[in-house]
Amino acid sequence: MTALREARGGAGAVGTEAVGAASGNGVTSRRDLLRKAGVALAAVAVAEILETSEALSVVHAEALPGGSSAGAKPAVSVPAAPLASPGSEWRSNVLRMQDELAAALKKPLAERRWGMVIDRRKCVGCMSCTVACKAENGLPPGVVYRPVIEEEMGTYPAVGRRFTPRPCMQCENPPCVPVCPVHATYRQPDGVVVIDYEQCIGCRYCITACPYGARGFDFGEYYTTRTPEVQPYELSPSHEYGKKWVRKGERSPVGNARKCQFCLHRLNAGMLPACVTTCIGGATYFGDLKLAGSLVSEMIGQESASRLRDELGTRPAVYYLG
Amino acid sequence: MKRIWAALWLILLAAGLVGVYERLAQGHRVAGYTSNVPWGLWVALYMSLMGLSAGAFLLSNLAYVFNVKALRRVGRLGLLTALVSLIAALFAIWFDLGHMARFWKVFLRPNFASPMAWMVWLYTAYFVTLAGELWYAIRADLVRAADGDGIQARVARRLTFGNRDLTQQAMERDAHRVRLLGTIGVPLAIAFNAGSGVLFAVVEARPYWNSAVLPILFLVSALTTGGALLTFLVAFLTRDKGGETHRQTVAFLGRLTLGFLVLDLLLQVSELLVGLNTTVPGHGDAVRWMLAGPGWWSFWLVTVLAGAVVPIVMLTRRGASVSQMGTAGLLIAVSFVAVRLNIVVPGLVVPPLAGLPAAYVEPRLAFHYAPSAMEWLVALFIVIVGVGLFHLGRNVLPVAGENRREA
């Protein structure tokens, strides 16, 4: 890890040098600059990937039963200090959230309460989360777990835009659950509202009942239907709920209601939800709201924290800042 | 004439079968509803047919349970109508399911916190009660029809289930059971119809639905359309047409229907005025969409003109003929599909969160709805099968006219 960090620092230095050379010294040719900068960026990128994957593998190992010696820590613990990472608040937050995730996974299901905090002041509206979620969960046309709502405020030149990513709120009192005629959707002890695809009859009552529009119906369509060939990525299995789902014919999840489940399959493997790891603005935080001192539990204590349509009494587990 | 009707029925059935084939082969890929407007024509049709069933059943039992003499001739025809409408309604909602093969789960693992689960159980109880009541109402005539050859006699023999007792005692027992089952059935029919309204009304995410008037409106609409359909059926399809009694029965049904229709309109206007004048403007969006949105014609032309103004004029005209009253009935019964559609769709086209329609744009996430050709054809199939079943029942079962023992 240390070696990696050095490599990253070194690469960063090369980068700085290259930029410095460009600005201070006109002799350096443009091609040279680009080459140097390219190498520098590549080095940074490789170092980043390695570091992140190392962090992931550590968490992963801890999450697995009988995992590596990393599991020797006390059963429930909040890492004393986030792994230091000079210059990157977001990186330290990710590493901290991963460690907290590992800690939360060691607690019994009922003692966790997965929650999300979305800082709208940091969201740039790039929709990486939306796309990452589509890819992670293999979502067809008509199903989007995490659209980003855009608002424009004020008049030119005093104009502001606000972005509101809208995952499932994982309500404490979910209106979608009691309406299901067959108990196919329910709230897990950890607070995540799930759908049992094998039980869902596809009546779509739950879709009408959600005050956040957070549920969709799988019509069995593909994005590449009217192209020469349905692309393999649309037929490859998704891993929702830790099972393999191949969308083919009328097989579930085709014909079912579908919704965001905080990437439970990733959580259980020690990974953060796809929308969190892909957020370029570092605007989405995730963790166990019941874990004292966790990043998310700290953040929801801020006075600007709010929940969507809180007046309905649904008590979402998704909080917004700003 | 009969041949023309039969040919027309066959053509429509064939068209409907095309839709059914599409539905079964393509699933929901060829449907017009979306993830955001997930219910459409079939749900509206299902509500209409359920209403017809409950309405026809309640009016029949005015004769059997409440001894309204003017409706004696309607009793059995009404029960058959109720049974056929119920079967057709269940077909409509069955086609709507994402997984048709899983419908039985509602029986094996019901969630009684869901109004939908309640509905299914109430329908089942109602189905059994209704079938039983119809059987006791026609048993004696089945026994009489069982002597002889021909299909009617063969079917009648089967349907007596070996009970061929025609003694006075047996027939009194039949009459008693009809009354008993009717007495059980009336609250069931009221419950499942108002319950369908509850199914919508409890959804607070849709302010348009979230109204305590809705269950009552459902019940009144059931009585209106049930009465209207019976007016039509009695006017045109009773065997002893032309007499003064026939005319009186139709006129009585017409007046009853008119009364229910006016009450229904009163409730609709109440919903509409409250919706238009809500102090929180967003809550009136659905009503405004219904009046001036892309489906404006379904409200103004179908509901107001064809479903209210024209039939009211026809029913209130002095010296209205039997066939005029019957036609008015048909207009009301059919046009009420638009009333149901205008309960389902406007509630859904208003986004629960502002900005959601533009957040992620693709056809299956649209906040608007128009039924696809497949949906229309499947709806046609359901109606045409209903018509066929009714015709079959009317020709094979002794349901026309009044019960002989009551004569």
Side-chain angles (χ1 to χ4, degrees), chain A residues 127 130 134 140-144 147-149 166 177-184 197-205 207-213 215-217 219-221 223 249-252 254-256 308-309, chain B residues 24-29 31 33-36 38-39 43 96-100 102-103 105-106 109-117 198-200 202-206 209 348 352-356 359-360 362 364-365:
Chain A
M127 322 238 170
T130 314
K134 274 266 192 186
V143 183
V144 55
V148 178
I149 296 170
R166 199 247 39 222
V177 166
V179 299
C180 175
V182 294
H183 292 292
Y197 284 155
E198 300 293 355
Q199 299 301 332
C200 171
I201 60 171
C203 72
R204 311 191 288 287
Y205 195 6
I207 303 179
T208 71
C210 175
Y212 304 95
R215 283 175 174 244
F217 183 64
F219 285 82
E221 292 175 326
Y223 281 104
E250 301 302 315
R251 261 186 290 169
S252 284
V254 171
N256 288 137
L308 286 188
R309 305 191 72 178
Chain B
L24 297 178
Q26 300 279 333
H28 294 258
R29 292 168 192 86
Y33 36 82
T34 70
S35 271
N36 287 316
W39 287 345
V43 173
D96 193 67
L97 288 186
H99 285 274
M100 292 170 78
R102 294 183 189 169
F103 75 93
K105 285 183 191 284
V106 191
R109 38 182 297 152
N111 170 18
F112 284 118
S114 168
M116 196 180 282
V198 171
L199 192 150
F200 288 89
V202 293
V203 180
E204 200 168 336
R206 315 286 169 177
W209 292 350
L348 295 167
L353 290 178
L356 211 49
Y360 198 100
E362 56 186 24
R364 283 283 181 224
L365 286 169

Side-chain angles (χ1 to χ4, degrees), chain B residues 165-219:
Chain B
D165 195 349
L166 276 181
T167 58
Q168 188 65 26
Q169 205 183 1
M171 280 163 57
E172 272 168 19
R173 198 182 53 220
D174 284 355
H176 175 72
R177 294 211 170 138
V178 166
R179 235 187 343 270
L180 177 71
L181 288 169
T183 312
I184 298 170
V186 166
L188 279 177
I190 292 174
F192 84 69
N193 228 274
S196 308
V198 171
L199 192 150
F200 288 89
V202 293
V203 180
E204 200 168 336
R206 315 286 169 177
Y208 180 62
W209 292 350
N210 189 212
S211 149
V213 173
L214 218 55
I216 312 295
L217 178 64
F218 270 54
L219 201 54

Side-chain angles (χ1 to χ4, degrees), chain A residues 121-195:
Chain A
R121 294 162 306 189
K122 286 185 175 176
C123 178
V124 298
C126 71
M127 322 238 170
S128 297
C129 57
T130 314
V131 176
C133 171
K134 274 266 192 186
E136 175 67 36
N137 293 295
L139 302 185
V143 183
V144 55
Y145 289 170
R146 191 181 159 107
V148 178
I149 296 170
E150 300 181 36
E151 288 165 281
E152 201 170 293
M153 284 156 301
T155 39
Y156 181 82
V159 186
R161 293 186 86 196
R162 186 169 72 159
F163 303 100
T164 307
R166 199 247 39 222
C168 169
M169 301 291 133
Q170 317 293 355
C171 304
E172 201 176 310
N173 303 314
C176 54
V177 166
V179 299
C180 175
V182 294
H183 292 292
T185 187
Y186 54 92
R187 189 168 173 267
Q188 286 198 152
D190 60 4
V192 178
V193 176
V194 298
I195 300 174

Side-chain angles (χ1 to χ4, degrees), chain B residues 138-390:
Chain B
I138 63 174
R139 191 195 66 87
D141 284 341
L142 282 173
V143 174
R144 288 186 197 104
D147 298 328
D149 301 318
I151 198 160
Q152 201 169 352
R154 278 213 300 278
V155 171
R157 270 200 292 279
R158 275 280 159 81
L159 286 180
T160 57
F161 298 108
N163 184 347
R164 300 220 184 164
D165 195 349
L166 276 181
T167 58
Q168 188 65 26
Q169 205 183 1
M171 280 163 57
E172 272 168 19
R173 198 182 53 220
D174 284 355
H176 175 72
R177 294 211 170 138
V178 166
R179 235 187 343 270
L180 177 71
L181 288 169
T183 312
I184 298 170
V186 166
L188 279 177
I190 292 174
F192 84 69
N193 228 274
S196 308
V198 171
L199 192 150
F200 288 89
V202 293
V203 180
E204 200 168 336
R206 315 286 169 177
Y208 180 62
W209 292 350
N210 189 212
S211 149
V213 173
L214 218 55
I216 312 295
L217 178 64
F218 270 54
L219 201 54
V220 176
S221 295
L223 290 164
T224 310
T225 54
L229 186 66
L230 286 182
T231 311
F232 165 73
L233 293 175
V234 174
F236 290 104
L237 296 176
T238 334
R239 291 219 164 79
D240 50 354
K241 276 189 289 193
E244 185 51 31
T245 353
H246 178 240
R247 201 198 129 69
Q248 278 174 3
T249 308
V250 175
F252 183 80
L253 277 169
R255 274 201 304 280
L256 212 55
T257 304
L258 184 67
F260 286 132
L261 177 62
V262 170
L263 183 57
D264 196 286
L265 290 173
L266 185 71
L267 294 175
Q268 286 193 56
V269 167
S270 169
E271 285 276 31
L272 210 137
L273 286 179
V274 171
L276 275 182
N277 295 291
T278 47
T279 48
V280 179
H283 286 195
D285 286 348
V287 174
R288 278 186 287 276
W289 186 92
M290 176 175 84
L291 300 183
W296 63 271
W297 56 270
S298 68
F299 179 77
W300 293 107
L301 300 186
V302 183
T303 298
V304 176
L305 191 66
V309 175
V310 174
I312 287 176
V313 169
M314 288 170 87
L315 287 172
T316 49
R317 261 189 47 188
R318 198 172 292 177
S321 69
V322 165
S323 57
Q324 271 173 352
M325 291 188 277
T327 310
L330 183 66
L331 270 177
I332 295 169
V334 173
S335 69
F336 256 66
V337 177
V339 174
R340 314 297 196 156
L341 204 57
N342 274 328
I343 288 170
V344 177
V345 179
L348 295 167
V349 292
V350 178
L353 290 178
L356 211 49
Y360 198 100
V361 180
E362 56 186 24
R364 283 283 181 224
L365 286 169
F367 279 87
H368 59 73
Y369 168 73
S372 69
M374 182 277 286
E375 282 176 82
W376 283 114
L377 290 176
V378 169
L380 175 69
F381 172 81
I382 290 160
V383 172
I384 218 73
V385 166
V387 169
L389 279 177
F390 180 82

